[in-house]
């Protein structure tokens, strides 16, 4: 217990020193989610506001759209997105001890909204959608707050955007050994880095929310699931433009191989879930594409290995923003991107 109390006191002292070097003020951000459920075409505003007064930070979500569809994040998730972002942006040396930070934070949510829905609202997909949007907004208002400080060391901690959306392919079916399989392709954990006022962001340097996360091993994925990767790598020129550019996101494509694959969900959106900072361009959107009845197997036999979807002949199918599931054909190619940074 003494050790736990000591850790909490240490993080309390650390956050107090930070707040002493930031002027009082108010900072705000807004982003838009879209496609509240399959078949929907709406856009829905999310807002976050922080007021600093002395050693206290007050957060609220006034102006956020009422809860709808499956793009809600429960109040506990909204609160957690703010606390965790405060911790790793302001006092990363405290190694995730948020007890001291919590003493300086007040939460004043509007209940019944996307980021604090009433009990009973669907929240099971918030880890994919709304929680990342909430985390991105937290990073934005905290960065604006840091850039208001005259302390150069604090200004260096600001980031143009925090991971605010994730694309993943949920796959299921019968594998090459005729066994049922189900899994999630978490290649997006490779991530990208946000720009700072002093340097460009980088490709594939991880995600803030998963400090020890690693991108999955391609060979292990192909061994466990009936798929073959065509490519996985940097999505060039996808980072947000600015005096310092955001880090590029990534893209990958795969085909079915000696089994049956069903895609259980996807993101194919129009809007990025975060913005650039101080006029910088936004990150890339989350995009998913599928080409049906391609010539990719014939290309393999001719020792040709396409590096982009445009190099493959086939019929491009335009996917909706979110979907409940679809089978892949034997010659279909599935591609998705993960988010760059602003």
């Amino acid at each position: 217990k003494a050790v736990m109390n000591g850790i909490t006191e240490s993080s309390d002292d650390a956050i107090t020193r930070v707040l002493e070097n930031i002027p009082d003020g108010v900072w705000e951000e807004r982003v838009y989610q879209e496609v509240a459920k399959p078949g929907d075409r709406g856009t829905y505003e999310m807002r976050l506001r922080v007021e600093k007064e002395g050693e206290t930070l007050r957060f609220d979500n006034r102006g956020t759209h009422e809860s709808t569809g499956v793009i809600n994040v429960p109040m506990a998730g909204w609160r957690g997105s703010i606390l965790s972002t405060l911790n790793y942006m302001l006092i990363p040396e405290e190694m995730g001890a948020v007890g001291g930070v919590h003493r300086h934070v007040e939460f004043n949510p509007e209940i019944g909204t996307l980021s604090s829905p009433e009990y009973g609202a669907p929240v099971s997909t918030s880890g994919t959608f709304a929680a990342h949007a909430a985390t991105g907004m937290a990073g934005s208002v905290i960065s604006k707050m840091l850039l208001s400080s005259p302390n150069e060391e604090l200004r260096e901690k600001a980031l143009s955007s925090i991971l605010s959306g994730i694309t993943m392919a949920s796959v299921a079916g019968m594998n090459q050994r005729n066994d049922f399989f189900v899994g999630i392709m978490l290649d997006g954990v490779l991530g990208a880095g946000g720009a700072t006022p002093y340097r460009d962001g980088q490709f594939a340097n991880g995600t803030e929310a998963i400090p020890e996360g690693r991108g999955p091993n391609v060979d292990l994925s192909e061994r466990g699931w009936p798929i073959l990767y065509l490519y996985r790598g940097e999505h060039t020129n996808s980072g947000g433009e600015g005096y310092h550019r955001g880090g590029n996101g990534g893209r990958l494509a795969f085909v079915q191989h000696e089994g049956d694959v069903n895609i259980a969900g996807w993101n194919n959106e129009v809007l990025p879930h975060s913005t650039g900072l101080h006029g910088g361009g936004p990150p890339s959107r989350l995009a998913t594409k599928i080409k049906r009845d391609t010539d990719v197997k014939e290309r393999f036999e001719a020792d040709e290995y396409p590096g982009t979807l445009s190099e493959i002949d086939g019929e491009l199918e335009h996917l909706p923003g979110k979907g409940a599931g679809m089978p892949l054909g034997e010659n279909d190619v599935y591609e998705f991107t993960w988010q760059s940074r602003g």
Side-chain angles (χ1 to χ4, degrees):
K1 196 74 172 182
V3 171
M4 294 168 66
N5 289 334
I7 291 172
T8 299
E9 293 299 330
S10 176
S11 66
D12 190 337
D13 291 342
I15 192 70
T16 298
R17 290 193 296 272
V18 169
L19 295 176
E20 287 173 349
N21 284 279
I22 297 174
D24 290 354
V26 175
W27 299 269
E28 297 179 274
E29 186 59 276
R30 65 177 175 181
V31 298
Y32 294 88
Q33 291 203 79
E34 58 186 283
V35 187
K37 57 186 176 182
D40 179 42
R41 294 296 302 274
T43 55
Y44 306 92
E45 186 174 1
M46 292 182 70
R47 285 182 175 262
L48 183 66
R49 177 180 180 272
V50 59
E51 177 185 5
K52 178 193 176 289
E53 184 178 11
E55 296 180 2
T56 301
L57 299 174
R58 301 184 183 93
F59 288 87
D60 68 66
N61 64 345
R62 284 182 291 178
T64 296
H65 194 281
E66 64 183 17
S67 62
T68 185
V70 299
I71 57 172
N72 309 293
V73 58
M75 190 258 181
W78 175 73
R79 174 178 170 272
S81 71
I82 294 169
L83 282 174
S84 61
T85 307
L86 281 169
N87 190 276
Y88 66 66
M89 289 193 70
L90 300 187
I91 52 170
E93 67 276 7
E94 295 299 314
M95 297 296 289
V98 299
V101 175
H102 187 265
R103 294 176 178 179
H104 296 267
V105 182
E106 296 177 6
F107 299 97
N108 302 296
E110 285 191 347
I111 305 302
T113 57
L114 288 173
S115 50
S116 288
E118 295 276 12
Y119 177 78
V123 297
S124 62
T125 62
S126 65
T128 306
F129 306 126
H132 285 289
T135 302
M137 284 196 297
S140 181
V141 297
I142 292 166
S143 289
K144 292 176 182 179
M145 185 175 70
L146 287 168
L147 289 171
S148 301
S149 171
N151 185 301
E152 201 67 20
E153 289 186 8
L154 288 185
R155 293 172 62 83
E156 289 179 0
K157 295 178 182 237
L159 288 170
S160 61
S161 62
I162 303 298
L163 179 68
S164 57
I166 189 167
T167 303
M168 61 180 69
S170 301
V171 292
M174 301 300 292
N175 68 15
Q176 55 271 51
R177 291 171 292 277
N178 205 34
D179 294 326
F180 177 75
F181 78 96
V182 61
I184 301 176
M185 300 182 70
L186 293 174
D187 301 74
V189 171
L190 287 164
T196 79
Y198 309 96
R199 59 174 168 78
D200 292 343
Q202 298 174 317
F203 165 65
N205 61 346
T207 66
E208 298 90 348
I210 315 171
E212 297 180 358
R214 298 184 180 186
N217 184 301
V218 168
D219 291 330
L220 291 179
S221 297
E222 292 181 336
R223 186 182 72 178
W225 305 331
I227 64 172
L228 286 176
Y229 280 73
L230 296 186
Y231 49 82
R232 184 179 78 177
E234 187 170 2
H235 189 192
T236 57
N237 297 321
S238 62
E241 297 179 353
Y243 188 81
H244 289 292
R245 294 184 58 91
N248 285 331
R251 62 187 178 89
L252 68 84
F254 65 89
V255 294
Q256 183 174 277
H257 180 66
E258 295 185 356
D260 296 312
V261 177
N262 294 277
I263 307 296
W266 65 82
N267 304 46
N268 192 38
E269 301 179 340
V270 175
L271 302 170
H273 287 169
S274 64
T275 62
L277 200 60
H278 287 310
S284 58
R285 66 185 181 91
L286 303 176
T288 302
K289 298 179 181 179
I290 184 170
K291 265 194 174 178
R292 301 284 191 184
D293 301 321
T294 71
D295 62 346
V296 69
K297 300 292 176 67
E298 289 83 355
R299 295 284 188 92
F300 289 165
E301 293 176 0
D303 287 336
E304 297 177 4
Y305 303 98
T308 65
L309 203 61
S310 61
E311 298 175 37
I312 302 167
D313 292 333
E315 183 178 350
L316 184 65
E317 181 176 325
H318 296 281
L319 298 173
K322 293 182 176 70
M326 64 179 175
L328 284 185
E330 183 179 356
N331 294 304
D332 295 343
V333 176
Y334 188 87
E335 181 194 77
F336 67 84
T337 65
W338 62 86
Q339 193 177 59
S340 66
R341 298 302 177 91

